[in-house]
């Protein structure tokens, strides 16, 4: 089992497009985590207008666009998010390894999904959002 994992890591390190994707995903995840940490520290009880946007902390404990809010078990929501993330990772290995563009796109999807899953697990069971499109 460990030797298969080591072979996978060596193959990843030898493949320049996949190595690029991992670096993009790691950078985007860290940027996501840092900006959400900043928002929690700075904007927790405030709303700041920024042109057509508003900056203010919102927490989403459900699926996309708060679908199922208050009705779904948090463990179920985390499981759905992790399964979707696993699907994107599996698809990215097949499709994303073809070009840097595909790899970067999949890396950003993986970083966003990982950031949301990390929020659910480590920030009180809810995804932290802080950029709102103004009232339309």
């Amino acid at each position: 089992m460990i030797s298969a994992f080591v072979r996978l890591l060596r193959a990843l390190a030898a493949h320049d497009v996949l190595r690029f994707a991992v670096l993009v995903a790691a950078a985007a995840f860290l940027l996501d985590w840092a900006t959400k940490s900043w928002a929690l520290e700075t904007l927790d009880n405030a709303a700041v207008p920024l042109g057509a946007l508003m900056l203010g902390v919102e927490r989403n404990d459900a699926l996309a666009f708060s679908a199922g809010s208050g009705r779904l078990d948090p463990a179920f929501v985390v499981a759905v998010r992790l399964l979707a993330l696993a699907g994107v990772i599996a698809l990215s290995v097949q499709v994303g390894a073809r070009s840097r563009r595909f790899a970067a796109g999949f890396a950003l999807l993986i970083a966003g999904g990982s950031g949301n899953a990390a929020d659910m697990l480590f920030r009180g069971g809810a995804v932290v959002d802080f950029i709102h499109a103004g009232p339309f």
Side-chain angles (χ1 to χ4, degrees):
M1 178 74 165
I2 293 176
S3 63
F5 183 69
V6 169
R7 278 192 306 252
L8 179 69
L9 286 178
R10 285 184 181 158
L12 176 68
H15 198 286
D16 66 325
V17 173
L18 292 178
R19 191 173 57 237
F20 168 75
V22 168
L23 291 174
V24 169
F29 175 83
L30 292 173
L31 181 65
D32 179 63
W33 188 266
T35 56
K36 288 178 179 180
S37 297
W38 169 82
L40 286 170
E41 289 289 322
T42 308
L43 303 170
D44 199 21
N45 295 317
V48 178
L50 186 66
L53 302 175
M54 290 288 290
L55 300 180
V57 174
E58 292 288 330
R59 290 178 172 81
N60 179 7
D61 64 348
L63 300 173
F65 307 108
S66 297
S69 182
R71 296 184 311 237
L72 297 175
D73 182 36
F76 174 75
V77 174
V78 170
V80 168
R81 289 180 188 275
L82 291 176
L83 282 173
L85 187 59
V88 169
I89 290 171
L91 185 62
S92 71
V93 171
Q94 297 298 316
V95 177
R98 295 181 186 166
S99 75
R100 285 185 180 260
R101 252 187 223 165
F102 282 135
F106 277 111
L108 293 174
L109 280 172
I110 291 167
S114 300
N116 288 349
D119 283 351
M120 294 286 294
L121 293 171
F122 301 114
R123 287 191 168 145
V127 174
V128 175
D129 294 319
F130 65 95
I131 301 173
H132 311 272
F136 296 108

